[in-house]
Amino acid sequence: MTQAGSFEPESERVMRQLRDEILGGIRAPGSRLVERDLAAELGVSRLPVRDALRSLVAEGLVTPRPRSWAVVREFTASDVADLNEVRGAFEALTFKLAAQRRTKDGLARLREVLDTELAAARAGDEVRARRAAADFHEVVTSLAANELLSELERVMSGRMRWLLGQHDDLTAIAEQHEGLYSAIADRDVVRVERLIAEHLAAGQGMAAERQRAAES
């Protein structure tokens, strides 16, 4: 998101739009991303499209192909297992530090994102709810106040956002976030550790169920 009056390079705008469409399921796994076609569709030259695709390849959301096209990445069961292992270690530490170091302003930001997620989940707005759910995790990372963790989060952001969207029970995830928010607000590290372990297990179960349904 850019501030009012700030300049956003065209490649950034194109990358953000394609990223949102991939994460939102508008561009399905395996979909072709052809520079020429995307440039015509988005009303830009091929250069910003090329730069945007390079960025998405670096994020792990797009797989390059020879010449001037790519495809939306198809995550394998092995990919998902790897992501879940990394997420488990990363978030166990991040949520614990957030509970210890959270600030009043940071907590207010987290509450705002959570309220957006809860409202979207109750309204059945899947795209908005999933986006806010991923925002919740990113704000928690900022509350951890560890620059290396923040750097790692930026590297993994695209793939983590994809992983966090692999569920269908929007309300259950939002309610789990509500419990985590309360524990962080109370600086209750023991409760945070228990709840994040439960949240991770629930997320993995929902993702596995969704994958089974897709394969059946």
Side-chain angles (χ1 to χ4, degrees):
M1 183 180 296
T2 57
Q3 297 179 347
S6 64
F7 171 75
E8 181 181 34
E10 204 155 52
S11 60
E12 287 289 323
R13 179 180 66 80
V14 171
M15 188 272 289
R16 182 166 46 82
Q17 181 172 340
L18 291 176
R19 187 178 192 248
D20 286 347
E21 290 175 355
I22 290 168
L23 294 174
I26 297 170
R27 296 187 187 271
S31 299
R32 287 168 60 98
L33 301 168
V34 182
E35 282 183 17
R36 179 185 62 253
D37 296 343
L38 289 171
E41 176 187 339
L42 301 174
V44 298
S45 69
R46 291 176 64 165
L47 182 58
V49 172
R50 186 174 305 141
D51 290 342
L53 290 178
R54 283 180 184 146
S55 295
L56 292 169
V57 168
E59 281 196 19
L61 293 177
V62 164
T63 302
R65 290 289 184 263
R67 300 184 186 277
S68 58
W69 65 287
V71 296
V72 177
R73 181 172 179 175
E74 297 183 80
F75 286 90
T76 66
S78 178
D79 291 330
V80 174
D82 289 348
L83 285 169
N84 277 320
E85 286 178 352
V86 172
R87 182 190 172 198
F90 181 83
E91 293 200 337
L93 176 59
T94 300
F95 275 76
K96 175 182 175 180
L97 292 178
Q100 294 171 334
R101 300 174 179 177
R102 62 87 173 157
T103 63
K104 182 178 179 181
D105 288 345
L107 202 58
R109 291 200 313 276
L110 192 62
R111 182 74 249 180
E112 182 179 358
V113 169
L114 176 58
D115 286 343
T116 297
E117 182 188 359
L118 286 165
R122 288 163 183 160
D125 187 337
E126 294 183 11
V127 172
R128 191 160 167 254
R130 289 195 179 100
R131 186 175 298 163
D135 289 343
F136 180 89
H137 285 259
E138 290 191 359
V139 173
V140 169
T141 302
S142 73
L143 298 188
N146 181 299
E147 184 52 40
L148 183 55
L149 282 177
S150 294
E151 183 180 334
L152 291 171
E153 185 276 321
R154 288 190 290 271
V155 170
M156 300 187 300
S157 176
R159 281 165 288 185
M160 283 297 121
R161 280 183 170 267
W162 177 86
L163 182 65
L164 291 168
Q166 300 307 298
H167 67 86
D168 294 310
D169 197 337
L170 307 174
T171 302
I173 294 297
E175 288 175 349
Q176 290 170 23
H177 285 171
E178 179 87 76
L180 283 161
Y181 168 85
S182 297
I184 290 171
D186 293 341
R187 298 189 191 277
D188 190 335
V189 174
V190 173
R191 182 153 48 108
V192 164
E193 290 177 327
R194 175 176 59 80
L195 290 176
I196 192 57
E198 293 173 357
H199 183 55
L200 290 167
Q204 289 181 29
M206 290 179 186
E209 183 180 340
R210 194 180 202 213
Q211 188 171 21
R212 284 193 297 271
E215 293 172 351
S216 62

